[in-house]
Amino acid sequence: MKFEVTHKSGKARTGILHTPHGDIETPVFMPVATNAAVRFVPHIFLNEIGYGMILSNTFHLLLKPGRDVIEKFGGLHSFMSWTGAILTDSGGFQVFSLAQRKITDEGVFFKSPIDGSTIFLSPELSTEFQQILGSDIAMVLDVCVDPYADPDEILRSVDRTLQWALKCKETHSREDQALFGIVQGGVSKKLREYSAKETVAIGFDGYAVGGLSVGETFEETVAMLDVVLPILPEDRPRYFMGLGTPELILEAVERGIDMFDCVYPTRVGRHGTAMTWKGKLNIKSAVHRSDTHPIDEDCDCYTCRNFSRGYLHHLFHKKEALGMTLLSIHNLHFMNQFVRKIGRTIKNDSFLEFKREFLSEVSAGASI
Ligand SMILES: [Zn+2]
């Protein structure tokens, strides 16, 4: 995978990721297809919106459908009939959010949430399975801890992540697949700096900031980016894992992040919240009951081209799955337009102006 930076405005930048499944303009937002599906959204809508890359989860796919099924299909692209690029996370985040697990230097034992059997995941196994999945970008298996854990525990997680990163790199052999390292370190500036330097020293095709967006404050997230980003090489893509709120995306882009993923747009969509340029809109609110207008007059997504707020309001009140689909489509369209607009404003050097305007519009019109 090649990456080229095409424009810079301060530290913010646009670029192109050349993947085996197409060129991806950055900054890019990746919808999350945990179980090889973006929940409630058929692929055709992702294509229409313009998404060229999605994220899927190694951990979930290893449990179901399992390695043998993915092998039989010749990889994840063919299994799920997705022709665009795919990034797979390593399973680290999911495994470490389980209550029943045991970590050793070799890997992690955990109880399958599906049938209770004991499963072992190691850096080698995670990398091998991601090679079978055939994703365009694979991630190293990392150790996630509570960002407020004891400093000694965070240091241990950083060191183990570094050891495992090395093992992942040694195991990785697929030339048509990029491998990204992951910077950990909780909310400690010192440990983030250490993790970033050592991860860069191992050398990866791209670098991710992991273990954030897990409950720390806005200021802490930004402070960690301020420490990590200057250490990451300019010529490699930088990915902030699990970040999907517009406000934080703006801060991350300003500091030089190129890639994002989050369940946020589809999750809030399924619960009746539409994302707009003026903030969030709760379609379940009674004010929309007989409203004949779309969510956003200026939005050209499938939902806004065809359906009124009143109809969407009705679908949510009757708990029709179509309502969840339509709001997920609108929110994913919004996110794509949002990162594209960021890209355009970086290119014409008006990013900071756009950031200011967007934030003031959102705070003025919050929660319609
Ligand atoms: Zn729309």
Side-chain angles (χ1 to χ4, degrees):
M1 186 197 71
K2 275 197 203 142
F3 175 66
E4 52 179 314
V5 175
T6 52
H7 197 95
K8 282 196 76 179
S9 177
K11 288 178 188 158
R13 68 225 202 126
T14 59
I16 300 172
L17 272 173
H18 300 280
T19 81
H21 293 87
D23 288 351
I24 310 294
E25 282 188 47
T26 64
V28 62
F29 177 79
M30 296 174 280
V32 177
T34 302
N35 293 304
V38 175
R39 293 194 72 189
F40 289 91
V41 183
H43 299 357
I44 193 168
F45 291 104
L46 301 175
N47 296 332
E48 186 195 283
I49 293 168
Y51 281 114
M53 179 153 65
I54 57 171
L55 176 142
S56 202
N57 293 77
T58 299
F59 171 78
H60 291 86
L61 297 174
L62 186 61
L63 296 178
K64 281 258 180 241
R67 187 174 171 144
D68 58 326
V69 173
I70 297 292
E71 267 176 338
K72 172 107 192 285
F73 277 86
L76 183 56
H77 285 92
S78 134
F79 177 60
M80 68 182 286
S81 295
W82 172 253
T83 53
I86 302 175
L87 180 149
T88 44
D89 75 358
S90 58
F93 182 75
Q94 284 78 25
V95 169
F96 292 101
S97 54
L98 295 174
Q100 296 199 19
R101 59 182 160 77
K102 184 173 171 268
I103 312 168
T104 68
D105 283 343
E106 281 67 45
V108 54
F109 294 88
F110 62 95
K111 240 185 182 136
S112 163
I114 293 174
D115 60 12
S117 62
T118 300
I119 297 177
F120 177 64
L121 189 64
S122 65
E124 292 86 354
L125 286 170
S126 171
T127 307
E128 276 167 24
F129 187 49
Q130 289 183 79
Q131 295 195 130
I132 291 166
L133 288 167
S135 50
D136 300 79
I137 300 174
M139 304 299 298
V140 299
L141 184 65
D142 56 335
V143 183
C144 302
V145 288
D146 179 343
Y148 298 113
D150 183 74
D152 287 345
E153 193 186 338
I154 299 178
L155 175 61
R156 273 198 301 279
S157 78
V158 168
D159 278 333
R160 198 163 257 157
T161 298
L162 289 168
Q163 285 160 15
W164 288 6
L166 205 56
K167 289 182 179 180
C168 290
K169 193 179 172 181
E170 281 163 5
T171 308
H172 190 254
S173 59
R174 213 176 149 146
E175 286 183 1
D176 60 350
Q177 183 183 58
L179 181 66
F180 280 21
I182 304 177
V183 175
Q184 287 288 347
V187 288
S188 157
K189 286 185 184 177
K190 210 174 97 191
L191 291 176
R192 283 279 166 190
E193 186 183 347
Y194 166 63
S195 173
K197 283 184 177 163
E198 295 300 316
T199 308
V200 170
I202 297 172
F204 290 98
D205 300 310
Y207 296 90
V209 181
L212 290 173
S213 281
V214 289
E216 77 283 0
T217 66
F218 185 92
E219 290 72 23
E220 282 168 331
T221 312
V222 172
M224 294 306 109
L225 289 175
D226 282 334
V227 172
V228 171
L229 268 294
I231 299 167
L232 303 182
E234 282 277 319
D235 61 349
R236 299 291 152 94
R238 300 139 165 194
Y239 163 33
F240 194 143
M241 305 179 83
L243 179 74
T245 56
E247 291 84 351
L248 267 173
I249 285 180
L250 289 167
E251 298 297 334
V253 166
E254 188 179 341
R255 287 159 177 82
I257 292 275
D258 309 298
M259 303 166 65
F260 302 92
D261 81 281
C262 197
V263 293
Y264 182 81
T266 42
R267 179 175 287 164
V268 299
R270 290 198 304 279
H271 289 94
T273 297
M275 301 169 78
T276 80
W277 297 95
K278 290 186 163 62
K280 295 177 215 160
L281 179 146
N282 176 11
I283 203 68
K284 292 192 276 194
S285 160
V287 297
H288 304 302
R289 192 171 155 267
S290 57
D291 193 334
T292 56
H293 300 91
I295 295 167
D296 179 350
E297 297 277 5
D298 298 323
C299 178
D300 62 354
C301 82
Y302 171 75
T303 305
C304 292
R305 287 200 316 268
N306 293 287
F307 304 102
S308 65
R309 292 183 184 194
Y311 179 59
L312 294 168
H313 174 87
H314 162 74
L315 292 177
F316 269 88
H317 276 268
K318 293 312 291 181
K319 297 190 169 46
E320 287 289 345
L322 180 60
M324 302 191 202
T325 294
L326 293 176
L327 239 56
S328 297
I329 289 170
H330 167 82
N331 285 353
L332 286 176
H333 184 271
F334 171 82
M335 284 304 292
N336 194 46
Q337 292 295 313
F338 181 68
V339 292
R340 281 187 180 183
K341 181 135 195 191
I342 288 176
R344 284 197 301 276
T345 60
I346 291 171
K347 283 179 183 162
N348 64 24
D349 289 319
S350 61
F351 169 70
L352 289 177
E353 207 179 309
F354 165 65
K355 181 188 166 197
R356 256 194 317 274
E357 278 168 17
F358 177 81
L359 293 176
S360 78
E361 283 282 328
V362 165
S363 60
S367 301
I368 304 161

